[in-house]
Amino acid sequence: MTEEKLAVSDFNREELLDILTLLYVQGDKIVTLNNKMQNTIKANRQLRLQQATKRKKNRIANIIGIVFAVAFFASSESNFFITILQLPIGYVIGQVTAKIFMFLTEKMNEKISEITKHEKRSLFFPKITINYGLTRKQAEKVSEEATLEATNTTQYQSYNQEKQDLENDPTFSYFISLIPDNFCKLEDFAGMIVLLKDYRAMNFQEVANLWRTEQHQQQMLQQQKQLEKQLHQNYDQVMAEVRESANRLWQDMQNARNESSKVNRNLEDIRRNGVGIKSRLI
């Protein structure tokens, strides 16, 4: 007679704590190992892409160097042996010139991208750049080769083996099969562990429902904080505009008072000596 499989609702608080703690600890190790595997691939991709890009730029510089050397040879009026000695000089000059030009154009591309970052179209800085890097197909090929290379390394294989051992552990597999799929995240395990430790729930149904309620409240609180932050920003903006308008109004009133004072002084001068009236009569 086969033993009937238990359901998660059959476990009490202490047993649930042990189950969820094991799932969290072992699940965290699995996630950590998976991140290490992905980082190994990512690091190798970046390295191989940088090396491939450097090789392509060196090929371009070599071609320019050869062109300069040929130009030196064709335009030289010296004897043959001196011309032969000048070829390496022309080659080096061509290489250096090409590398300097590529460096400057890359910096110019970065500047143009920065200026036109938030613009759909710019008449003064059109989004036309010179690219000496890898084409899309070349980059994809290098990335595929780098990924295959990384997955065959001893370090990656070690991470993968350890991860598989943890995933295939009978105890872990059994416990994870008890938990509904929508509660199988590390965040869910951690949240339910806290609630059980605080005696706020005594079984899985209670702790699962309470955890979802806690998550909803946290989301609502986060949305409220975001709204308050937005309102505060809007308030600051409105107050800044009000202060600016008040300053302009105060300046206009000050100018008006100055003009009024000037007019009053002119009228006082006219009343005192009649200068204005005499000038009009004349």
Side-chain angles (χ1 to χ4, degrees):
M1 183 175 178
T2 58
E3 185 179 353
E4 185 179 353
K5 181 180 177 181
L6 295 174
V8 69
S9 58
D10 296 325
F11 295 93
N12 60 33
R13 173 186 166 277
E14 289 75 15
E15 291 169 335
L16 275 176
L17 269 173
D18 292 338
I19 291 172
L20 293 173
T21 300
L22 184 144
L23 291 175
Y24 178 82
V25 172
Q26 201 151 322
D28 183 63
K29 290 180 181 178
I30 292 172
V31 171
T32 300
L33 288 168
N34 187 66
N35 289 337
K36 288 181 178 180
M37 292 164 61
Q38 296 303 319
N39 289 337
T40 300
I41 294 175
K42 183 179 179 181
N44 198 55
R45 280 179 178 175
Q46 291 177 343
L47 176 62
R48 294 309 180 196
L49 286 171
Q50 290 173 357
Q51 292 174 342
T53 302
K54 185 176 180 180
R55 287 195 298 269
K56 183 175 181 180
K57 290 180 179 179
N58 286 337
R59 287 196 296 270
I60 295 173
N62 290 335
I63 293 172
I64 300 299
I66 293 172
V67 171
F68 269 64
V70 171
F72 267 61
F73 181 81
S75 61
S76 177
E77 297 180 357
S78 304
N79 60 57
F80 180 77
F81 294 102
I82 295 177
T83 302
I84 293 298
L85 293 175
Q86 290 176 340
L87 289 180
I89 298 175
Y91 177 78
V92 171
I93 292 175
Q95 270 199 328
V96 172
T97 302
K99 289 181 178 180
I100 292 175
F101 181 77
M102 285 188 287
F103 174 78
L104 292 177
T105 51
E106 285 177 349
K107 292 297 180 182
M108 182 183 68
N109 291 344
E110 292 176 3
K111 193 67 176 177
I112 291 175
S113 298
E114 183 180 349
I115 293 174
T116 60
K117 186 176 182 180
H118 303 293
E119 299 178 12
K120 292 184 178 179
R121 187 177 180 182
S122 175
L123 297 176
F124 299 101
F125 296 97
K127 295 183 180 180
I128 300 175
T129 57
I130 304 174
N131 183 20
Y132 301 102
L134 303 176
T135 64
R136 183 176 179 178
K137 286 187 177 181
Q138 290 172 335
E140 288 177 352
K141 183 180 179 181
V142 172
S143 295
E144 290 176 1
E145 293 173 352
T147 300
L148 182 61
E149 181 183 27
T151 56
N152 289 326
T153 59
T154 304
Q155 186 181 46
Y156 184 92
Q157 293 294 335
S158 175
Y159 292 150
N160 190 40
Q161 185 60 50
E162 187 177 356
K163 175 173 172 283
Q164 288 181 3
D165 290 342
L166 291 171
E167 290 175 338
N168 297 328
D169 176 62
T171 304
F172 178 81
S173 299
Y174 174 69
F175 285 158
I176 199 71
S177 68
L178 297 174
I179 309 299
D181 292 341
N182 57 333
F183 285 94
C184 282
K185 295 181 180 179
L186 289 179
E187 179 187 3
D188 295 326
F189 297 154
M192 290 189 289
I193 288 171
V194 171
L195 295 174
L196 287 169
K197 283 187 174 182
D198 290 343
Y199 289 89
R200 297 173 62 186
M202 301 305 293
N203 55 55
F204 185 80
Q205 184 177 358
E206 289 180 3
V207 76
N209 291 334
L210 186 56
W211 171 237
R212 282 292 181 258
T213 302
E214 289 282 334
Q215 282 184 311
H216 178 70
Q217 290 176 350
Q218 290 174 8
Q219 291 173 358
M220 295 297 293
L221 182 61
Q222 187 64 31
Q223 291 176 1
Q224 182 180 355
K225 288 181 178 179
Q226 187 66 28
L227 179 60
E228 290 175 354
K229 182 180 178 181
Q230 186 64 41
L231 290 174
H232 184 71
Q233 291 176 347
N234 292 341
Y235 173 80
D236 291 342
Q237 182 179 357
V238 170
M239 291 306 298
E241 293 175 355
V242 169
R243 284 192 293 268
E244 184 180 355
S245 298
N247 289 334
R248 285 200 302 267
L249 180 61
W250 181 86
Q251 188 64 42
D252 292 342
M253 292 175 64
Q254 188 66 29
N255 293 336
R257 283 195 294 267
N258 292 338
E259 289 294 328
S260 177
S261 299
K262 184 177 179 181
V263 170
N264 290 335
R265 287 195 299 270
N266 291 338
L267 291 175
E268 185 63 29
D269 290 340
I270 291 172
R271 285 195 295 269
R272 184 180 299 112
N273 48 37
V275 174
I277 296 175
K278 291 180 180 177
S279 61
R280 288 190 179 185
L281 291 173
I282 295 172

